[in-house]
Amino acid sequence: MKFPRLRLHSNWFGFHEPKKQTHKISWKTIPTICAVSSFLSVAILGLTTSSTQNVAIAQQNANLSNVTLRVAKYKGGWDLTLKLAKLDNFPYKVEFKEFAGGNLIVQAINANAIDVGSGSEIPPIFGIQSNAAVKLIASNRGPTIGQTLLVPKGSRARNVADLRGKRVGYVRATTAHYFLIKMLEEVGLSFKDINPVALTIPDGLSAFRRGDLDAWATYGYAIQQAKKDGARELKSAKNILSGNFLIFASPGAIADQNKRAAIGDFVCRLKKAQNWREANAKNLETWSKAYAQAIGVDVKLVLDDAREGLQQRRSQIVPISKEAIASQQRVADTFAQTGVIPSKVNVAPLWDGTFTNAINQCR
């Protein structure tokens, strides 16, 4: 999908890049980011009661039949879950558009091509660097399994310190990038002490299988595919990551009364659909079969992953919070300190509490 008004900086996540890349990312134009006093986070969380209540009132009173909500989704994502939960009977029109990464969704929102989307804590951090117009309106706090550092069959590495001087694959500007930095820090190492190789997940899996990598920081179903070949988990990232998967929205859509009402309704439906998915074993199996078919992965991989995730914690859509802001700030600070981004940024202005009441009142 192309957006004429937008220059797609796909290298944010390593798409279409050479297989080996340097650790530092640079931009041609970087705004000077000044430190903002701590009261800003409080001000964001403390939006006036009337501003948040207006969303619920608008949902009840507005005629949304003429509203079109442009929603970014991943393959087998929101649209599938809403349909399975029988919550896709929207009182407004929804146009789902598929994206391959959260960075592209941030760019599309900035180009006014999308109203609502989602991604990890990381894409909006890079959005700050390019002055992207995007707001974070909620967190989907879920399990942190399925994010790990692998070594191939036969590897002699027993801990992260054993990777000094080794070829380590990772997915740049993603959670894998972040947790690899933190794992190395824990043993007194940095990217300078390894031979980092930035790869997309498909390229990373191929390189790992060929023996071109001594270790691989990755996530998702590629982990199970690699383990089938004898790969071993060197260290899990489950205690490093927050599990926050953020919901993004366009400032323009938030400012529009009818679209604002539609977004509030849509997020409530997502919350209910997610609750349906995890309500019982039958629903989880139904979702797993449909999702596996949508993304072309073995059903057992999806179901086992979903069950393991539930053992850790249930997924939950929650309003913005000081804790969520602080979590994203820690990620941003790590990237600044290690040179992934050129300067320290303040994430607090990204967050918007307009939908707090709508989410809390959703049942």
Side-chain angles (χ1 to χ4, degrees):
M1 180 180 300
K2 296 182 178 179
F3 301 104
R5 297 168 54 194
L6 178 66
R7 292 182 297 174
L8 294 181
H9 301 291
S10 58
N11 62 320
W12 285 3
F13 273 60
F15 296 129
H16 313 306
E17 291 287 343
K19 295 198 174 191
K20 183 173 180 180
Q21 304 163 1
T22 57
H23 174 53
K24 189 171 182 178
I25 299 173
S26 62
W27 289 263
K28 292 182 179 178
T29 304
I30 304 294
T32 301
I33 308 296
C34 299
V36 179
S37 57
S38 61
F39 76 86
L40 182 55
S41 294
V42 177
I44 293 167
L45 291 166
L47 289 172
T48 63
T49 302
S50 61
S51 90
T52 54
Q53 286 179 341
N54 282 345
V55 176
I57 294 171
Q59 285 175 231
Q60 295 173 5
N61 299 333
N63 179 2
L64 303 181
S65 59
N66 293 324
V67 173
T68 298
L69 198 62
R70 302 165 301 171
V71 178
K73 62 102 174 184
Y74 300 101
K75 181 175 289 187
W78 285 347
D79 56 334
L80 176 65
T81 308
L82 287 163
K83 182 178 181 180
L84 292 172
K86 296 180 171 55
L87 289 165
D88 58 346
N89 55 334
F90 310 105
Y92 40 86
K93 184 179 180 182
V94 176
E95 291 182 354
F96 286 105
K97 301 180 181 180
E98 187 174 307
F99 287 79
N103 61 317
L104 299 177
I105 293 174
V106 168
Q107 293 176 52
I109 290 175
N110 183 54
N112 193 31
I114 288 294
D115 298 314
V116 184
S118 63
S120 76
E121 297 169 306
I122 294 172
I125 294 172
F126 287 84
I128 293 174
Q129 297 289 330
S130 56
N131 272 343
V134 62
K135 290 295 182 182
L136 313 180
I137 62 171
S139 295
N140 186 2
R141 190 168 186 268
T144 56
I145 56 97
Q147 308 252 359
T148 193
L149 180 61
L150 298 173
V151 290
K153 181 179 180 180
S155 171
R156 296 182 178 180
R158 289 293 174 261
N159 55 57
V160 177
D162 292 336
L163 298 181
R164 183 188 292 271
K166 301 296 185 180
R167 298 163 299 177
V168 182
Y170 70 104
V171 191
R172 187 168 64 176
T174 67
T175 50
H177 194 166
Y178 174 70
F179 74 67
L180 179 58
I181 291 173
K182 302 305 286 186
M183 287 177 180
L184 290 168
E185 284 181 353
E186 288 177 2
V187 295
L189 300 180
S190 72
F191 263 57
K192 294 179 181 179
D193 298 304
I194 62 171
N195 183 5
V197 186
L199 299 166
T200 64
I201 287 182
D203 287 345
L205 182 59
S206 296
F208 193 70
R209 283 172 164 168
R210 288 195 307 267
D212 293 343
L213 298 175
D214 299 302
W216 185 31
T218 189
Y219 50 83
Y221 302 114
I223 294 171
Q224 299 301 328
Q225 292 172 305
K227 284 184 175 180
K228 279 186 175 182
D229 299 332
R232 170 171 55 87
E233 182 175 86
L234 187 66
K235 185 175 178 61
S236 169
K238 67 180 181 181
N239 295 324
I240 296 175
L241 301 172
S242 68
N244 291 340
F245 203 70
L246 310 182
I247 298 180
F248 314 149
S250 159
I254 296 172
D256 181 281
Q257 180 177 343
N258 288 336
K259 279 202 173 183
R260 185 166 65 244
I263 292 172
D265 176 83
F266 186 82
V267 172
C268 181
R269 288 170 185 268
L270 291 178
K271 183 178 179 180
K272 290 178 179 178
Q274 193 163 270
N275 291 342
W276 168 88
R277 171 187 175 271
E278 300 182 354
N280 54 60
K282 181 181 179 181
N283 290 358
L284 196 66
E285 290 175 8
T286 298
W287 174 84
S288 296
K289 289 177 182 177
Y291 184 64
Q293 183 177 8
I295 65 172
V297 171
D298 183 65
V299 176
K300 188 177 185 304
L301 291 180
V302 176
L303 186 56
D304 288 349
D305 187 75
R307 286 171 173 166
E308 185 181 355
L310 276 177
Q311 289 176 359
Q312 184 189 28
R313 64 170 175 245
R314 295 176 64 89
S315 297
Q316 187 178 14
I317 292 179
V318 296
I320 75 170
S321 65
K322 292 179 182 178
E323 292 76 17
I325 296 172
S327 173
Q328 188 186 33
Q329 188 64 59
R330 286 192 292 272
V331 176
D333 290 347
T334 295
F335 279 170
Q337 291 161 7
T338 54
V340 180
I341 58 176
S343 60
K344 183 177 174 65
V345 298
N346 179 30
V347 304
L350 291 172
W351 293 79
D352 187 308
T354 298
F355 301 94
T356 294
N357 282 359
I359 295 170
N360 284 335
Q361 294 171 11
C362 177
R363 297 289 185 270

